Structures are given as structure tokens and as C-alpha cells.
Amino acid sequence: MNPLSPPVSNSTPRNRPGLDGWAAHHLVFQFVRSCWLVVVASVLVLVEAFRKGVDTYYDFLNIKWVMGWMLSNGQFDLKGIASTRKWGPPFLDIWNATWSSTGPWWLPNVVHGVAHLLIVPSVFVLAQRVAPRAPNLIHQVVAALAVLVPLVRMQIGTSTGHLYAALPLIWSLALLVGGRKGSDLRGRNSSFSWGTHWSPTPEALGEEVCVRLFLAGALLALSPLLKPSVLSTVPAHLVAVAILVGSVSGTVAFVLGFAATYLLGAIGWASVVAVATTGSPLNVQSPGIPIAGPSLIVVTLVVLALAVLSLRATSWRFWLPTKFDAHPVALLGLTFAMVVVSHAFASYLRRAVPDYRWLIPDFAGLRDRLFHAGDLQFGYLTVDLESAYFDTTIPLAMVLLGGAVLLLPLVLVRTGDKQLLPALGVIIFITYPLLYNMWATGYTRYASQVVPLVGVSGIALFSLVNARAVRLIGSLAVVAVLSLPMFLTNRVSAEVPRFGQVAYETPVYEDFVSAEEIAVLNDLLPHQATVLAIGTINTYLVPQLGRDDLDWWFWEPKRDEVAQMEGDIILLFNPGSSDELPEYAEKGLLYDDCSVLRFRRTSVGLCIGSVDSAVRSEALEST
Amino acid sequence: MSRSGRNEPRTASDEVEASSNRHGGKVVGWIPLRILAASLVLAGFLAARLSQSELPPPNFAQFEAARADLAGSRVMPVGAFLETALDREAAWTLGLGFLHPTAAGAWMSQLSASLRFAVEDGLSPTSVEIELRPLVAASDRERKVTVTSSVDEVTAILMGGRENVLVAVDGETEQLVTISCDDIDSPIGLQLGPDRRAFCAFVFGYTINVEGQ
């Protein structure tokens, strides 16, 4: 039964024209009865988003707001603010910057809240598809817990982006496991509404399958297009795709859908940046992609051509021989190959990781990290996130992943079991990225987009059990473990924090900087002045001023650049970073008459700048 | 569609149904709704984008008036304890090196920080008494602090409590007093709290003494 389209009795046919009041009332009653918890949890997300107060997420205030605002205004010369980030897909930053730069303080919260609440019905539908034999209430509880676990709840209503990235991830998985219309494998005779692991004959792997797998891959690509850091966890998702899809050919279709969509979005954007900044699309580059320039353009075009061809090709010409295509050994071999590839990516990330606070030195450390519940150590030191938290999701995910890996050999033995492969695929697709990310970066947030899905992987594992009582007890155990943080509230870090917020201690229910304060600052910045923003947490003032006459600098200028500065010069700084001012003086940028505006919630330092005459002389001599 | 054992589509409705099946059955049925939803989202986004405000640049008179207002905000009364806490007028005299004030005062986050204040014309300040508390570890409770004005320099060893340091000033109406520390530490580094920021001392406030008081 799909509660989103509740069954209608014969007396009230679904498409009967002119439903009378009673029938309509009955439909509403049925709907509410079958999804009441989903509705309540969705509303709670919206309330939580509002309750968080104005979003003061550190990365957003520090970099992303001004970057999104400038890029959306066609300003690609960022002069030091995220100069390399501009090459990556900035779509979510532009989205967030737009909502934060207009309207009342709560507008972004409402927008984020509406987007984040979609997680609940999405997980609900996924849970139904993954475990149709589980009770409806379990589906609903799993959907509710997807947003109530602390690691997710702390991000609701904020601009961190991981919850936005979670949505296409859920939809991609839902499409992968979604049932084919009229499939006789759907329903109570099968734990999975087994959509993609169809009979792997060339006929079966026809257009419909191809399009569905391609679309699933394309949906997955939306995740890193929204949140570029998610790209690093994609190899971990791909590990599970072969066994989830059930055929090598299907895996290729999925990967093509992913690659084509990602490259279209990411390289399409990077080409715009290349044209705007260098005058030629051939100078394109994209973070996370090891090639650049014309090679990248060629690769993108080849992938797009292959994608178009794969969608147009008839099955028997395109796909591999049947026996090989779906053979368990081939699937496990492909899975193992992806594990090796993902390990190589993890090693690369470990070498390149910029933050050694979280990096795990060895496998013993990895074990400890994976099975802790996010508490503090050594008094106040957080273990794998800047905020203290208590959450049981990751340890549970590791137990489920261990169970799935132990069951994998059964794939070779129980070749006729049509439930086994997709169930294991779902579990690995959801849980392996948590293990992978912990080893690669050690930082929990980078994989937090899969946290809402862990409950689904739990009921996927127990859906393999035929005994109804055991299946039910297993699902309840999953729910109980995920719910623990809501009951064990006496722990040091049990309170759900406001993740990464500058206004950390208490929520702020008004603009972080008021309109009056912005007006005061505005009057202190002369027309067409050169403004050097120094230190952290001050660039968010730029979009709020909204002035295009000012020439903003976000990096320390060189002496020859200082020599060319004309007109009024203002040094705008975070008072906590004022020790950086002497470095500017060394470059010939003198400062005087420094003041600090002590606003209600933030402080802004201002100095009047001038160019050292010696620097101008140097420039004149050199010319 | 031969794989599902059905005939090839012959009529328009068959074509639609075949297309529907090809693209995932119910998925296609939802497409108009999705297009509508996407259009609404896009329209909302564009409306938000177009309604962003842009402040006009100040003219010269407005700029000068703003500078004068800023200078005026640093004029402090004399003979009374001036709290440097959030929303107190003396908070505007916290210069470079001080973080945003809290409800009790303000942290020095660098080796050096300055107080920049003024008194009414006709008054002649003689000294400033600053009340502060250093951030020190439980094991090592000493923090060397130097307070400097244009005419005086006082060095004190603070022991972790709330203490006063008195420094003479030159009698001009505008004053700049600098506080320097020998080191800064973070509460998390000293295992005193979760804060990662590095501090020297917490300044509660100060008193401006004038001639004749």
C-alpha cells in the first residue's frame, strides 16, 4: 500500500467524477492515518528551521555568501575570496546568497526548512520500496528519525548544504530500487519492489531499464552539483551500484548518467568562468577533476556523446552477453574493483586533507572513531566534528555495513535469491560512505548527507528475514538505537547544537546586522572607494551593502598593485585580526584613524588607508 | 516494448502509454506537477534576486557626518567606572585587538589591544584605571601585562583574579591606551573550556580620572 496514494474502496472509485463530501473526507482520513507521522515530522522540520534563528553558519558568513552574491552579479574576479572555489559548481551558494540578501531574516530559514522537510516524505517512500513487508508505522518512524537524529537536526534550517545534497541521493536510491509498473516481483511476495535487478536478458535490460538507471545516475550527480564536497564520497556510493543494479551493463548506464550530468553542470559552469576570466573556454578547470583545459572539454564531450548514444541504443546492440552481465562473480568483481578505486581516492584525500585535527592515523584509530557516539574527549575536545554531539547513527551504520559484508558471499551461493543483492546494495550504498569518509578525512560532516538514510539500511537488512516476528524485532531495534539520543539526554553533549554557527550559544531572531547598522557602515565607505577586507567574518557585509561602486579586495595586494590604487582607501577588518594590519603597511599601504564599530552582534574595524609615496615612486621608476 | 510481451503501440493513447512505461510509469504522470513546482521555485528565486537592495553611496557631507558621529561615540564621562560590556557606551572605545564584547566585558585576542577614548573639551584626564582578569592555566597562574599611554608604562604580573592597573595619561582630550601581554592561550589548550580562540585577558572596564578628583 502506498499511503501517498491511499487505496480506495469500490464504492469510492479514485477517478470517479464529482466525489461527494463523504468520499473526499474519507480520502483525507485515509491519507492522514497512513502518513500522520510523516506530516508531523515534516512540520517539525519547518518549526526547527525557524527555531534555529538567523543562519550564522561560519563558512557561509566567511566565504560563501559573498562568493555566491558576487558570482550571481557576474563578478568573477574575486580577488582572494574563494578564488579557486569559483571553478566548482556554486549553484547552492548562489541560491543561499540570494535568499539571505533579501527579505526578512527568517526567509532563508523558511526556504531551507521547506527543502529540508522533503527528506521526510522522500525517506518514507524509499523505506516503503526497500522494505514493503515492514509495517507502515516503521516506514514512518524511519522517515521521522531521518531528520530527528542530532547529526541531521543540527543542520536543519542552515546553509551547510548537506541536507540539500541528501535529497537527490535519496531520490537516486529510490529510483534504483523503485518497482517497475506491473512487476510481478513487487509486493508481498518480495521484500524489494525490485526495479532494476530485472531478469538480465538483453530484452529486459531495454530502454526502460536503461533510462531509469541513467536517471538514477543523473539524480546522484545533482548531489555534488549542489554540494561540491560530496563529490569526494561518490566513489563510495559507486561501490554498491553493481550489486544494487544487478548487472554490469546497468552499472555502466548508471555511471554514464552520473558522469554526463555532473560534467554537464560542473564543466558547463566552469566554462562560463573560463570565458569570463580568461576569454576562452579552453582554460577550463574544475576542483576534484584531475585534468584541465582542452582535455577536460574533450572528455566532457565524449561522455556526453556516450550518454546520448546509450539512451538511443537498442538493448541488444549495447549490452554485454547475458551470462556475463549479471553473473554474481562479475558483480562482486566489479564491486571489489570499485572498493579498490574508492580506497585510492581515500588515500588521495588523506594526503590532501587540509585539516589534521580530525585525520585518523591508523586503523586502530578508525575503529575507535567509527564506534563512538560523538561524545567529547579530554574534557572539551570534540572528536570528529566542531560541535559536541551525541548520535548513534554512525555506530549503527557500521554494524549494518559489517552485516552486509558478511552476507555478501551468499550472493555466490543463493543465486536465485532476488532479495539478497538489492538489500545488500542498499545497505552498502548508504553505510560505506560513512566508513570511507571517516578514513579519508575523519570529519563526520563531510558524509552527513547519508545520515538520514541509515534507518532505511537498517530495515533493508532485516527485510531479508522471512520470519515476521524477527523482522519486526530487528526493525524496532534499529528504531530504538537511532532514538537513543532522544532519551539519554543526561550526557554532556546530548543537547543538539546549532552547528557551526557564529552566534553559537543562543539563537538570534532578528537580522545578524540590522539595517540601521548597515546604513552606519555604508556612510563610512566613500563613493568608489577601494576597500580591503582583512581577516575572517567580515565579507558577509558586502552583499548586505549591495554596492557595486566599491572595489573590494579580499587578499593582501602586492606593492605594484598598491601603487596603482587611486581615490579613497578603506581597510575593513575583523578586530580580532587587526594584527594583520602591519603586513599591509609593509606593502606600502599606510593606515590611520582606526575605529571599531561595536554593533549589537558583531564588530567591524575601519582604518583610513593611503599609499606610501615611496611605493608610488618605485612604480614610477620601474616604468 | 516486446520484452514485456505487449504489442507495439498503434494509437496515440497507446503511444502515450508506451512512453509512460518507457520512462518509468508514474514518473511521467508527475511531470506537469514537477514542472509547475520547478517553475514556482525558479520564479521565487528570480523575484528574490531582483528584490535585493543596493545602498546608495554617501555624499561627502554624509561621510563627514558619519566620521563625526563615530568620533563622538568615543567621548566618555569621567570619574565613573565604564563597563566595556556589550551594549554599553564604553564598548565603542574598544579598539584594535579586542573581540566583540560579551555581557560582562571584552576579551583581548592578541598580544596587544588598545582603548581609544576621549573626554569632553575642557577636561584634562590624568590617569586611567583598567580592571581586567587574565586567562591563565590552573597550574601556571601568572600573566605579565603591560599598559602603555603616551606618557607612562606600567607592567603588572596578574595572578588570575580580577585586578586593576593604573596608568598615567597626558591630559589631552583624546587618549590611546595600549595593553600588551607576554603570551596568549586558548581555553581548550589550557583545558579550561571548549573555546579554541586565543586570549590574553578579559577587560571589564575602566575609570578615567581627571585633575582635581
Side-chain angles (χ1 to χ4, degrees):
Chain A
M1 181 180 72
N2 181 357
L4 293 177
S5 51
V8 184
S9 68
N10 290 336
S11 60
T12 56
R14 194 183 199 174
N15 53 359
R16 195 180 83 181
L19 277 174
D20 56 29
W22 182 87
H25 182 266
H26 181 68
L27 274 176
V28 171
F29 177 74
Q30 286 278 350
F31 177 80
V32 170
R33 197 180 66 173
S34 55
C35 324
W36 65 271
L37 190 53
V38 171
V39 174
V40 168
S42 302
V43 172
L44 274 179
V45 170
L46 210 51
V47 172
E48 176 69 13
F50 186 85
R51 199 189 66 83
K52 283 272 167 47
V54 65
D55 182 29
T56 57
Y57 176 46
Y58 183 91
D59 288 357
F60 183 63
L61 291 194
N62 200 30
I63 295 175
K64 295 182 175 183
W65 190 351
V66 67
M67 188 186 78
W69 181 79
M70 291 183 79
L71 292 177
S72 70
N73 279 288
Q75 298 176 34
F76 294 93
D77 184 10
L78 301 184
K79 289 182 181 168
I81 191 81
S83 294
T84 55
R85 283 188 189 221
K86 72 183 174 196
W87 293 100
F91 309 119
L92 193 58
D93 293 329
I94 290 174
W95 171 264
N96 291 336
T98 298
W99 294 110
S100 294
S101 304
T102 190
W105 71 264
W106 46 262
L107 185 61
N109 296 53
V110 170
V111 171
H112 299 327
V114 168
H116 294 166
L117 74 79
L118 292 176
I119 289 174
V120 185
S122 301
V123 170
F124 179 54
V125 170
L126 179 64
Q128 286 179 314
R129 291 186 178 188
V130 165
R133 289 190 295 180
N136 175 266
L137 188 61
I138 292 288
H139 296 149
Q140 293 198 66
V141 172
V142 164
L145 286 172
V147 291
L148 292 178
V149 295
L151 277 173
V152 175
R153 204 177 129 201
M154 66 170 66
Q155 297 185 55
I156 288 174
T158 73
S159 55
T160 58
H162 291 279
L163 301 188
Y164 277 93
L167 283 169
L169 209 60
I170 300 167
W171 297 336
S172 174
L173 191 54
L175 204 55
L176 277 172
V177 300
R180 192 172 41 162
K181 192 176 185 180
S183 167
D184 57 356
L185 292 171
R186 183 174 190 166
R188 308 198 71 82
N189 292 327
S190 167
S191 178
F192 267 82
S193 47
W194 183 209
T196 49
H197 193 252
W198 295 302
S199 172
T201 61
E203 289 79 15
L205 266 172
E207 278 184 73
E208 181 179 340
V209 184
C210 178
V211 169
R212 184 176 284 268
L213 293 176
F214 188 92
L215 278 177
L219 277 173
L220 182 65
L222 294 183
S223 196
L225 283 174
L226 287 171
K227 181 76 181 169
S229 65
V230 170
L231 188 62
S232 65
T233 57
V234 166
H237 289 298
L238 294 182
V239 164
V241 170
I243 51 177
L244 192 48
V245 168
S247 72
V248 176
S249 307
T251 306
V252 172
F254 180 90
V255 173
L256 266 179
F258 170 82
T261 308
Y262 182 77
L263 289 175
L264 188 65
I267 306 307
W269 167 260
S271 301
V272 171
V273 176
V275 170
T277 56
T278 69
S280 168
L282 297 179
N283 298 315
V284 69
Q285 58 174 286
S286 189
I289 299 180
I291 54 172
S295 325
L296 185 51
I297 298 278
V298 169
V299 168
T300 302
L301 291 175
V302 167
V303 169
L304 289 176
L306 282 174
V308 172
L309 284 174
S310 76
L311 287 171
R312 295 177 68 88
T314 53
S315 57
W316 60 272
R317 273 190 291 179
F318 187 72
W319 304 116
L320 296 166
T322 308
K323 281 188 178 176
F324 171 74
D325 200 29
H327 197 283
V329 175
L331 298 179
L332 288 183
L334 191 54
T335 302
F336 182 74
M338 279 312 303
V339 169
V340 173
V341 170
S342 73
H343 185 261
F345 268 95
S347 301
Y348 166 74
L349 288 171
R350 282 178 65 80
R351 285 193 300 274
V353 69
D355 196 338
Y356 286 89
R357 281 179 298 169
W358 319 114
L359 195 63
I360 300 166
D362 50 34
F363 283 114
L366 179 66
R367 181 200 59 210
D368 293 344
R369 189 73 69 83
L370 289 170
F371 288 96
H372 84 98
D375 220 331
L376 304 163
Q377 66 181 22
F378 310 133
Y380 293 101
L381 195 62
T382 51
V383 178
D384 58 1
L385 194 68
E386 280 122 317
S387 302
Y389 71 94
F390 170 45
D391 193 304
T392 50
T393 306
I394 295 175
L396 173 66
M398 291 308 106
V399 171
L400 295 168
L401 178 61
V405 170
L406 286 175
L407 291 174
L408 264 183
L410 287 180
V411 171
L412 297 170
V413 182
R414 293 165 58 178
T415 51
D417 190 340
K418 291 183 168 57
Q419 302 171 22
L420 186 61
L421 266 178
L424 299 183
V426 165
I427 297 165
I428 295 171
F429 187 94
I430 293 169
T431 58
Y432 179 62
L434 291 164
L435 168 65
Y436 164 91
N437 173 64
M438 197 59 82
W439 176 242
T441 70
Y443 188 54
T444 288
R445 179 170 64 83
Y446 288 155
S448 59
Q449 62 276 1
V450 291
V451 169
L453 290 154
V454 170
V456 173
S457 71
I459 59 173
L461 184 68
F462 289 102
S463 72
L464 290 170
V465 181
N466 280 324
R468 186 173 182 275
V470 178
R471 206 167 55 234
L472 193 61
I473 290 169
S475 299
L476 288 174
V478 168
V479 167
V481 172
L482 288 175
S483 306
L484 276 179
M486 281 151 241
F487 300 109
L488 301 178
T489 53
N490 58 340
R491 294 169 64 109
V492 172
S493 50
E495 187 186 350
V496 177
R498 307 173 66 245
F499 176 78
Q501 301 283 313
V502 170
Y504 181 79
E505 290 176 357
T506 51
V508 176
Y509 296 111
E510 59 188 18
D511 288 323
F512 189 62
V513 181
S514 71
E516 293 77 22
E517 290 169 337
I518 287 290
V520 168
L521 175 63
N522 183 59
D523 283 349
L524 291 164
L525 302 175
H527 184 47
Q528 293 185 328
T530 299
V531 188
L532 296 105
I534 301 167
T536 56
I537 307 290
N538 53 34
T539 61
Y540 66 95
L541 298 164
V542 179
Q544 294 183 83
L545 289 162
R547 282 173 55 179
D548 57 9
D549 64 300
L550 300 173
D551 183 17
W552 288 95
W553 288 69
F554 304 104
W555 64 24
E556 194 179 302
K558 297 171 186 152
R559 286 177 79 86
D560 58 326
E561 291 171 325
V562 171
Q564 291 173 13
M565 288 181 178
E566 300 287 348
D568 293 304
I569 299 172
I570 300 288
L571 288 87
L572 183 149
F573 57 94
N574 181 331
S577 308
S578 57
D579 52 354
E580 293 178 32
L581 288 171
E583 295 173 22
Y584 286 73
E586 288 171 15
K587 296 289 165 61
L589 200 53
L590 306 179
Y591 57 92
D592 189 23
D593 197 9
C594 296
S595 306
V596 181
L597 310 180
R598 297 294 176 180
F599 291 151
R600 180 77 183 84
R601 306 193 184 283
T602 191
S603 299
V604 183
L606 288 173
C607 295
I608 303 290
S610 60
V611 179
D612 189 343
S613 54
V615 173
R616 287 217 198 273
S617 304
E618 278 174 30
L620 278 174
E621 285 168 17
S622 63
T623 54
Chain B
M1 293 293 110
S2 58
R3 63 170 183 74
S4 58
R6 296 194 318 167
N7 293 330
E8 289 296 319
R10 291 174 185 169
T11 65
S13 58
D14 283 344
E15 190 69 57
V16 170
E17 188 183 351
S19 169
S20 173
N21 285 330
R22 231 184 357 255
H23 294 90
K26 281 191 296 185
V27 174
V28 172
W30 283 83
I31 281 180
L33 199 58
R34 291 178 188 194
I35 290 173
L36 179 67
S39 303
L40 285 174
V41 169
L42 191 63
F45 173 77
L46 289 175
R49 181 72 192 80
L50 293 172
S51 64
Q52 285 179 16
S53 61
E54 179 182 348
L55 294 180
N59 57 36
F60 183 72
Q62 287 170 320
F63 175 71
E64 287 297 310
R67 298 291 308 175
D69 286 348
L70 190 57
S73 68
R74 289 194 291 264
V75 177
M76 292 292 120
V78 298
F81 181 69
L82 303 167
E83 286 184 82
T84 48
L86 185 64
D87 291 339
R88 300 301 176 124
E89 56 182 347
W92 284 76
T93 65
L94 295 168
L96 309 187
F98 282 105
L99 292 181
H100 191 61
T102 69
W107 279 108
M108 280 178 65
S109 62
Q110 296 171 13
L111 288 173
S112 165
S114 61
L115 291 168
R116 187 182 177 193
F117 59 87
V119 295
E120 297 283 354
D121 287 341
L123 293 174
S124 182
T126 54
S127 64
V128 175
E129 190 171 6
I130 302 169
E131 188 167 327
L132 70 173
R133 188 192 69 219
L135 179 75
V136 288
S139 53
D140 177 11
R141 301 191 63 82
E142 288 190 2
R143 173 77 74 203
K144 186 176 166 187
V145 171
T146 302
V147 181
T148 312
S149 72
S150 61
V151 294
D152 194 13
E153 180 175 299
V154 176
T155 298
I157 305 294
L158 305 181
M159 303 298 291
R162 198 165 164 160
E163 296 185 47
N164 292 336
V165 178
L166 183 70
V167 63
V169 294
D170 61 11
E172 296 292 324
T173 54
E174 292 202 10
Q175 294 292 334
L176 184 70
V177 175
T178 304
I179 308 168
S180 306
C181 292
D182 60 342
D183 199 4
I184 52 175
D185 290 297
S186 65
I188 197 166
L190 299 177
Q191 301 215 3
L192 297 170
D195 207 326
R196 295 177 180 279
R197 296 171 298 176
F199 303 130
C200 159
F202 188 83
V203 175
F204 294 94
Y206 59 92
T207 306
I208 306 169
N209 301 314
V210 295
E211 212 168 348
Q213 276 194 324

